[in-house]
């Protein structure tokens, strides 16, 4: 039988009309919807009682107070706690989605616990008289930090290392009328966002930055200086060099520098911020009282910085990356390790940071799965004690770093958070602020058990303020001596300020949209001679790594802006010299 075109068209038309009257496709659509709804990969919406629970965000040192709307045991929405004396009801974008963190796709879920413990014991036994066993604690002053210090004191060659100096330095933003910031991200992750916002109307912000950082774009005035010339401006304002000499170095004009000096003189008190932990300002920068600890804990190893360890002396290194505030370049750490088979154990939730260099990576619980205290933020003038109380349970097999380190040093520990809470309670000082009712009461009116319960149900202890706070003893950082080889490197490095990657969703959006420089990318002025998106190699005196190039007219010639990702932080710090070449 021969089929012609007319018959095919009639058949197709008839079929289309027939389909409308047959139940088969409609049934198929319904079934497909049901199957895909029940497919095991689709997350099931939580069911259960809707209630509010409270905790503190431990994603960064600000430790903002959090109200979690939970369905059953599952937090589904995070918000700030209204009336909180420091965080004032605010959370940053990462804090708002902090409950996504346990679902981080690249999360480390298992690790060689027994092998790491055996290698550690072997390394400690082999440690020579000039060698050491060290813990690098990236967020000092926690209760876990005291366990590390005690554990290192219990070992013959134990050393306790932290990234920066004195953590008791505190800044009273409410007293400043002018803030002069040398590249500090004051409005973008420095301090506690709610507290900075609350104080913002009271001070005039002058941002000294070579590139238009987010803080520079929101400041009252942005002074664009040549990269690496910030020190010359500070010296001129302190009267140590002439305005003309500073103008030559910074690229500012002499009248601009003179006007700035006059403004600082007339609009005090002035707070000068020079790095994330270095600040000066008469009456504004103070030494905060220490949050009390049990007396017996004070037999502890002192905190040292990495530079104080001799090169090639560390046989065993444990790095707690579970709570971090700062990142030290791996190249600087690596120089401290012994040459023959050092043991490096890293406690981390992902393989992106120091885990890339470790012999053993042990998985840890993340916020909001683990109980950890958060030391006072830099803009908290009072001592504080608050706990990031878990909202969900961690997966099986997670390691508690402080317990692991204590066991390696044969140090018996109990419930250290409770011991510290009891010690604070015995002082009878200060106030307890509870989140559910936003009320403060004197600590002396609360029983020890109720204090402990309140800390775990959303609360914080705030110490009394000294009537005459002592000024902070600030260590001056000696100017770095630049190696002669740097003259071969034409670009000055500026780092992007990286917020804590609290949410897989936000990290993905930022990275894929290139709203922030993705890890492994650098930004250069279009006059650099490279193509946008081209692969290239970034080279500093510490080594080389492959990068992707983004051309950005906002980056001045002679500057390379690098994303503050672990791979690039291994090679560069702000202000070092670099070159970027085509591959
Ligand atoms: S990430 Fe830091 S600033 Fe953001 S909500 Fe958490 S503690 Fe606050």
């Amino acid at each position: 039988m021969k089929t012609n075109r007319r018959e095919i068209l009639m058949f197709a038309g008839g079929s289309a009309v027939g389909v409308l009257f047959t139940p088969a496709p409609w049934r198929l659509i319904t079934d497909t919807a049901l199957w895909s709804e029940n497919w095991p990969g689709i997350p099931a919406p939580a069911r259960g009682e809707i209630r509010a629970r409270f905790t503190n965000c431990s994603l960064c040192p600000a430790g903002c107070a959090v109200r979690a709307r939970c369905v059953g045991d599952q937090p589904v929405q995070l918000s700030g706690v209204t009336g909180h004396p420091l965080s004032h009801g605010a959370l940053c974008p990462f804090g708002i989605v902090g409950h996504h963190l346990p679902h981080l796709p690249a999360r480390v879920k298992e690790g060689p616990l027994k092998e790491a413990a055996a290698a550690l014991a072997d390394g400690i036994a082999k440690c020579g008289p000039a060698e050491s066993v060290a813990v690098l604690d990236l967020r000092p002053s926690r209760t876990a930090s005291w366990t590390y210090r005690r554990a290192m004191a219990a070992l013959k060659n134990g050393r306790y290392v932290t990234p920066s100096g004195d953590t008791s330095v505190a800044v009273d933003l409410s007293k400043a009328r002018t803030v002069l910031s040398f590249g500090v991200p004051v409005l973008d992750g420095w301090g506690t966002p709610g507290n900075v916002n609350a104080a913002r109307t009271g001070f005039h912000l002058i941002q000294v930055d070579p590139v238009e950082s987010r803080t520079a774009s929101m400041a009252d005035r942005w002074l664009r200086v040549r990269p690496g010339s910030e020190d010359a401006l500070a010296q001129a304002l302190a009267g140590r060099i002439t305005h003309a000499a500073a103008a030559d170095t910074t690229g500012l004009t002499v009248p601009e520098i003179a006007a700035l000096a006059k403004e600082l003189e007339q609009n005090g008190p002035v707070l000068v911020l020079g790095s994330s932990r270095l600040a000066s300002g008469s009456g504004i920068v103070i030494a905060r009282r220490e949050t009390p600890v049990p007396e017996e804990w004070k037999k502890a190893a002192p905190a040292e910085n990495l530079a104080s360890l001799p090169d090639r002396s560390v046989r065993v290194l444990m790095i707690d990356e579970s709570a971090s505030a700062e990142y030290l370049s791996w190249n600087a750490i690596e120089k401290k390790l012994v040459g023959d088979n050092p043991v490096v154990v890293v406690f981390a939730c992902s393989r992106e940071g120091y885990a890339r260099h470790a012999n053993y990576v042990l998985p840890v619980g993340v916020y909001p799965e683990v109980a950890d205290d958060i030391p006072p933020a830099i803009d908290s003038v009072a001592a504080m004690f608050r706990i990031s109380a878990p909202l969900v349970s961690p997966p099986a097999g997670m390691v508690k770093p402080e317990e692991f380190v204590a066991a390696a040093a044969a140090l018996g520990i109990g419930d250290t958070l409770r011991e510290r809470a009891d010690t604070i309670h015995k002082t009878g000082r200060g106030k307890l602020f509870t989140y559910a009712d936003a009320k403060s009461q004197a600590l002396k009116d609360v029983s020890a058990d109720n204090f402990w319960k309140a800390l775990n149900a959303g609360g914080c202890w705030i110490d009394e303020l000294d009537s005459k706070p002592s000024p902070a003893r600030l260590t001056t950082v000696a100017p770095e001596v630049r190696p002669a080889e740097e003259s071969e490197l034409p670009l000055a490095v500026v780092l992007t300020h990286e917020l804590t990657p609290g949410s897989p969703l936000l990290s993905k959006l930022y990275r894929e949209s290139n709203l922030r420089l993705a890890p492994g990318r650098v930004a250069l002025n279009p006059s650099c001679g490279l193509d946008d998106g081209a692969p290239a190699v970034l080279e500093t005196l510490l080594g080389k790594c492959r990068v992707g190039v983004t051309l950005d007219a906002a980056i001045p010639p002679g500057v390379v802006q690098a994303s503050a990702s672990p791979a690039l932080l291994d090679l560069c710090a702000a202000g070092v010299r670099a070159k970027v070449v085509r591959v």
Side-chain angles (χ1 to χ4, degrees):
M1 186 184 117
K2 203 173 167 205
T3 309
N4 60 29
R5 186 167 165 270
R6 182 187 165 81
E7 284 165 342
I8 290 172
L9 285 174
M10 282 175 65
F11 178 75
S15 303
V17 173
V19 157
L20 290 176
F21 292 100
T22 165
W26 310 113
R27 179 76 212 164
L28 206 59
I29 290 169
T30 313
D31 283 356
T32 316
L34 287 174
W35 292 334
S36 59
E37 258 177 25
N38 294 320
W39 178 61
I42 302 285
R47 300 258 186 267
E49 184 197 354
I50 297 176
R51 62 196 167 127
R53 291 163 68 199
F54 297 89
T55 188
N56 293 290
C57 175
S58 63
L59 289 176
C60 87
C64 302
V66 173
R67 180 184 194 274
R69 184 171 180 265
C70 298
V71 178
D73 287 333
Q74 181 62 44
V76 294
Q77 183 190 17
L78 305 186
S79 54
V81 173
T82 314
H84 190 278
L86 195 67
S87 56
H88 296 283
L91 294 182
C92 79
F94 288 98
I96 289 170
V97 289
H99 55 308
H100 296 184
L101 190 58
H103 310 288
L104 199 66
R107 186 165 176 191
V108 182
K109 295 229 175 83
E110 51 192 32
L113 183 60
K114 281 189 190 147
E115 294 84 340
L120 211 60
D122 191 44
I124 292 172
K126 280 191 188 143
C127 202
E131 295 174 350
S132 59
V133 177
V135 170
L136 171 58
D137 180 4
L138 298 170
R139 192 183 289 173
S141 298
R142 291 172 297 150
T143 298
S145 311
W146 281 94
T147 302
Y148 296 145
R149 293 178 60 178
R150 290 156 68 207
M152 291 304 101
L155 288 174
K156 196 161 56 120
N157 300 350
R159 311 284 287 260
Y160 170 74
V161 182
T162 63
S164 56
D166 194 350
T167 49
S168 71
V169 173
V171 170
D172 189 352
L173 266 187
S174 67
K175 293 221 169 82
R177 279 186 65 204
T178 302
V179 175
L180 176 64
S181 155
F182 288 89
V184 175
V186 181
L187 305 179
D188 185 32
W190 175 91
T192 312
N195 189 47
V196 176
N197 283 346
R200 179 67 186 92
T201 47
F203 64 80
H204 188 76
L205 176 61
I206 304 168
Q207 184 74 5
V208 181
D209 238 324
V211 296
E212 191 177 10
S213 62
R214 283 184 292 279
T215 294
S217 65
M218 292 184 279
D220 297 301
R221 187 135 52 98
W222 168 35
L223 292 177
R224 184 177 200 150
V225 294
R226 293 194 187 113
S229 69
E230 294 88 341
D231 193 44
L233 180 60
Q235 300 279 350
L237 294 173
R240 294 198 196 108
I241 61 170
T242 63
H243 289 182
D248 279 349
T249 318
T250 59
L252 298 174
T253 63
V254 172
E256 273 176 320
I257 297 172
L260 176 62
K262 193 167 175 198
E263 183 178 346
L264 298 182
E265 202 179 294
Q266 293 177 344
N267 198 22
V270 177
L271 168 66
V272 182
L273 295 172
S275 75
S276 58
R277 283 246 159 234
L278 204 66
S280 73
S282 172
I284 305 175
V285 182
I286 60 159
R288 187 196 306 111
R289 279 208 268 199
E290 187 186 88
T291 302
V293 295
E295 207 46 45
E296 61 274 20
W297 289 10
K298 294 186 179 167
K299 290 180 218 115
E304 302 180 70
N305 62 30
L306 191 70
S308 64
L309 302 183
D311 286 355
R312 302 283 162 233
S313 68
V314 179
R315 175 151 297 282
V316 175
L317 178 65
M318 291 167 272
I319 306 180
D320 181 1
E321 208 179 352
S322 66
S324 57
E326 286 178 58
Y327 192 89
L328 294 178
S329 142
W330 171 255
N331 297 60
I333 296 172
E334 204 271 333
K335 277 202 294 191
K336 304 293 172 185
L337 300 176
V338 294
D340 63 314
N341 302 321
V343 180
V344 179
V345 178
V346 170
F347 307 101
C349 67
S350 93
R351 292 188 189 275
E352 284 192 4
Y354 296 117
R356 292 165 303 133
H357 310 289
N359 303 103
Y360 303 95
V361 182
L362 299 182
V364 289
V366 297
Y367 168 77
E369 294 172 345
V370 283
D372 196 8
D373 59 319
I374 308 155
I378 188 162
D379 55 342
S380 166
V381 277
M384 273 190 154
F385 189 65
R386 59 260 169 98
I387 293 173
S388 181
L391 298 175
V392 292
S393 303
M398 296 296 110
V399 173
K400 290 189 175 162
E402 66 276 25
E403 287 179 5
F404 185 86
V405 172
L411 173 78
I413 54 166
D415 185 348
T416 48
L417 284 172
R418 174 77 205 241
E419 285 169 39
R420 198 168 186 192
D422 287 346
T423 307
I424 293 167
H425 185 263
K426 276 190 201 131
T427 66
R429 284 199 325 246
K431 288 182 179 164
L432 168 67
F433 177 77
T434 41
Y435 297 176
D437 55 5
K439 285 200 173 128
S440 282
Q441 55 188 319
L443 184 63
K444 61 182 167 43
D445 298 335
V446 183
S447 71
D449 280 345
N450 285 345
F451 180 47
W452 178 242
K453 272 188 210 147
L455 290 173
N456 282 283
C460 74
W461 169 76
I462 305 167
D463 199 0
E464 286 158 10
L465 288 178
D466 283 331
S467 51
K468 275 197 191 154
S470 29
R473 279 177 295 130
L474 296 168
T475 34
T476 25
V477 180
E480 241 180 283
V481 181
R482 296 274 180 214
E485 304 92 296
E486 275 202 351
S487 56
E488 305 290 311
L489 305 171
L491 303 170
V493 173
V494 172
L495 289 174
T496 56
H497 173 66
E498 191 90 338
L499 281 168
T500 313
S503 155
L505 175 65
L506 274 188
S507 309
K508 191 168 156 58
L509 281 176
Y510 279 138
R511 288 172 186 187
E512 291 183 358
S513 59
N514 217 16
L515 278 174
R516 298 194 172 170
L517 271 183
R521 287 197 84 82
V522 297
L524 292 156
N525 186 275
S527 65
C528 67
L530 297 167
D531 297 327
D532 192 40
V537 166
L538 176 120
E539 186 177 338
T540 70
L541 290 184
L542 289 173
K544 299 177 182 182
C545 82
R546 281 179 77 102
V547 290
V549 171
T550 296
L551 296 184
D552 184 346
I555 305 295
V559 171
V560 53
Q561 187 180 44
S563 64
S565 55
L568 285 174
L569 287 175
D570 284 349
L571 294 185
C572 37
V576 304
R577 308 291 302 180
K579 71 178 173 187
V580 180
V581 291
R582 197 188 304 270
V583 287

